[in-house]
């Protein structure tokens, strides 16, 4: 038996609880992993609170991320004892996930733990940090250099994007609705802090050119305004919807300033890009900075913390120690 955060459908509603699960009930997969740490992402919070139907079948073990050690393997690339990580790939959605002490999954979804990180640090990165790196890669693909805006900067994706971009020598402008944490953003390397309120009201189709690239975790009106103030030939990597699913924008930035809007998706990222993103995280993210943006909880605290995360009260990243 092992402990897991199990989501069941009760009275047609998803309900999560800490449960003891029989190992024999684990889904099929070529690799079994003793999970040491998981993490709490925005999507995990939606799933655990039942705010959105993230789980596609029930019962579902929650958790889109995991880090641990291979316990048994029929996969040629993973041997017993290897430290591994997994993010996305349908974990916690279509396939039992990482908020558990044990997982069994397809070995193709696993990535070797980069030498630069401990399992706990890898989960401080998790899907959020992986997505931040995908956004940075997307901006690099478009040749973007110069001033880069990061929205939702105090969130998980935003914090790590700020840290990576600053380490790469970019001038980072951090947009946040929590200016009380501005010092922490400066510690991560932000050169300028702007108030989220500057970006939340409907604006003109084209604004002053304020940055040449952006990582947007917010969507909605903010994304529209971010595009409107992106400089000629720049690019915006859009990965999130913390501020809304809509996109009330004009085509002006695209047809008059040759701005590119790049979509970023972390769950189905092809394996080669996945390995490249983790390689770059190992090279371009200072692991010591992770500690300053990480808090730790046990499995038993995940439900309460999920509610706080959706209320915007959580700063940075939350790692989950599955042993407690
Ligand atoms: P967090 O909750 O950690 O951070 C979200 C941040 O967005 C908050 O910290 C806050 O930043 C800002 N924010 C929250 N609500 C609003 C609002 N109403 N208006 C404007 N800003 C707001 O989440 P994550 O960083 O983990 O994820 C960020 C987004 O990215 C989410 O929408 C998530 O679903 C998405 N995501 C997408 C992925 C993909 O594959 N495309 C993968 C991972 C995440 P501040 O306090 O600084 O203002």
């Amino acid at each position: 038996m092992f402990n897991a955060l199990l989501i069941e459908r009760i009275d047609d509603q998803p309900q999560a609880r800490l449960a003891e699960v029989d190992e024999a009930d684990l889904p099929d997969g070529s690799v079994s992993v003793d999970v040491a740490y998981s993490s709490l992402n925005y999507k995990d919070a939606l799933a655990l609170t039942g705010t959105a139907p993230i789980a596609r079948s029930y019962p579902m073990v929650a958790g889109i991320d995991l880090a641990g050690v291979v316990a048994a393997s029929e996969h040629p690339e993973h041997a017993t004892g290897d430290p591994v990580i997994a993010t996305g790939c349908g974990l916690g959605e279509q396939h039992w996930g990482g908020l558990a002490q044990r997982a069994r999954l397809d070995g193709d979804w696993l990535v070797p733990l980069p030498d630069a990180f401990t399992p706990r640090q890898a989960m401080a990165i998790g899907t959020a940090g992986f997505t931040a790196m995908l956004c940075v890669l997307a901006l690099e693909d478009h040749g973007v250099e110069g001033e880069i805006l990061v929205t939702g900067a105090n969130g998980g994706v935003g914090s790590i994007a700020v840290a990576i971009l600053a380490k790469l020598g970019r001038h980072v402008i951090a947009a946040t609705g929590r200016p009380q944490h501005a010092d922490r953003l400066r510690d991560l390397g932000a050169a300028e802090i702007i108030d989220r309120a500057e970006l939340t009201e409907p604006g003109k189709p084209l604004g002053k050119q304020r940055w040449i690239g952006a990582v947007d975790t917010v969507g909605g009106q903010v994304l529209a305004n971010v595009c409107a103030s992106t400089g000629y030939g720049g690019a915006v990597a859009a990965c999130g919807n913390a501020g809304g699913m809509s996109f009330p924008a004009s085509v002006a930035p695209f047809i008059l300033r040759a701005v590119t809007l790049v979509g970023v998706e972390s769950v189905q990222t092809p394996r080669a890009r996945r390995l490249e993103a983790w390689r770059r995280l190992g090279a371009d993210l200072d692991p010591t900075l992770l500690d300053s943006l990480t808090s730790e909880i046990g499995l038993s605290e995940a439900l309460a913390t999920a509610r706080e995360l959706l209320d915007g009260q959580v700063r940075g990243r939350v790692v989950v120690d599955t042993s407690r």
Side-chain angles (χ1 to χ4, degrees):
M1 302 293 278
F2 64 92
N3 292 336
L5 278 166
L6 199 65
I7 304 177
E8 294 160 304
R9 187 153 54 189
I10 298 170
D11 295 335
D12 231 20
Q13 292 298 319
Q15 279 192 24
R17 68 183 171 94
L18 184 58
E20 279 209 323
V21 178
D22 195 330
E23 201 128 340
D25 292 337
L26 278 166
D28 289 342
S30 52
V31 181
S32 296
V33 178
D34 283 329
V35 181
Y37 288 96
S38 183
S39 85
L40 206 62
N41 295 278
Y42 197 83
K43 193 183 270 180
D44 297 310
L46 292 174
L48 290 173
T49 57
T51 309
I54 301 297
R56 307 286 168 78
S57 61
Y58 301 91
M60 175 61 63
V61 171
I64 65 173
D65 294 341
L66 62 84
V69 170
V70 172
S73 174
E74 293 162 8
H75 191 280
E77 284 178 34
H78 308 292
T80 304
D82 284 354
V84 287
I85 50 183
T87 64
C89 297
L91 292 173
E93 300 185 64
Q94 285 112 330
H95 191 94
W96 281 16
L99 282 165
Q101 294 172 321
R102 201 32 116 79
R104 191 182 294 138
L105 68 171
D106 186 333
D108 288 348
W109 304 344
L110 290 168
V111 170
L113 177 73
D115 291 340
F117 305 121
T118 63
R120 186 179 184 278
Q121 285 169 335
M123 287 297 94
I125 297 167
T127 284
F130 175 66
T131 304
M133 191 73 235
L134 292 177
C135 289
V136 173
L137 291 175
L139 295 181
E140 289 180 355
D141 289 347
H142 285 80
V144 171
E145 289 185 11
E147 302 194 347
I148 314 269
L149 174 76
V150 177
T151 64
N154 269 307
V157 178
S159 298
I160 296 182
V162 169
I164 297 168
L165 288 162
K167 184 148 187 243
L168 289 169
R170 304 282 179 266
H171 180 101
V172 181
I173 306 166
T176 182
R178 291 182 279 178
Q180 67 271 29
H181 299 313
D183 284 350
R184 198 191 62 99
L185 290 170
R186 286 198 189 87
D187 291 345
L188 292 177
E192 285 178 56
I193 315 289
I194 66 171
D195 194 321
R196 177 208 291 178
E198 285 184 39
L199 299 167
T200 48
E201 296 305 317
K204 293 182 184 157
L206 287 178
K208 183 169 174 266
Q209 302 185 43
R210 299 175 70 184
W211 39 77
I212 192 69
V215 172
D216 179 61
T217 70
V218 172
Q221 188 62 53
V222 168
L223 177 58
N225 291 338
V226 167
C227 291
S229 289
T230 299
Y232 190 91
V236 177
C239 70
N241 63 334
M245 265 302 206
S246 67
F247 183 43
S250 131
V251 296
F254 313 120
I255 63 172
L256 298 176
R257 286 199 184 142
V259 168
T260 301
L261 179 58
V262 193
V264 171
E265 199 278 341
S266 65
V267 176
Q268 301 178 72
T269 305
R271 184 163 173 78
R273 185 74 157 181
R274 200 171 275 282
L275 292 169
E276 169 66 358
W278 278 104
R279 189 191 67 73
R280 287 288 307 274
L281 281 161
D284 299 325
L285 177 62
D286 179 353
T288 58
L289 284 180
L290 286 171
D291 295 335
S292 71
L293 56 85
T294 305
S295 52
E296 183 181 309
I297 59 171
L299 278 178
S300 57
E301 297 155 278
L303 269 172
T305 310
R307 288 186 200 103
E308 289 170 15
L309 195 145
L310 291 185
D311 286 346
Q313 292 165 23
V314 170
R315 196 163 54 86
R317 295 280 297 143
V318 180
V319 295
V320 183
D321 178 351
T322 61
S323 70
R324 60 187 178 89

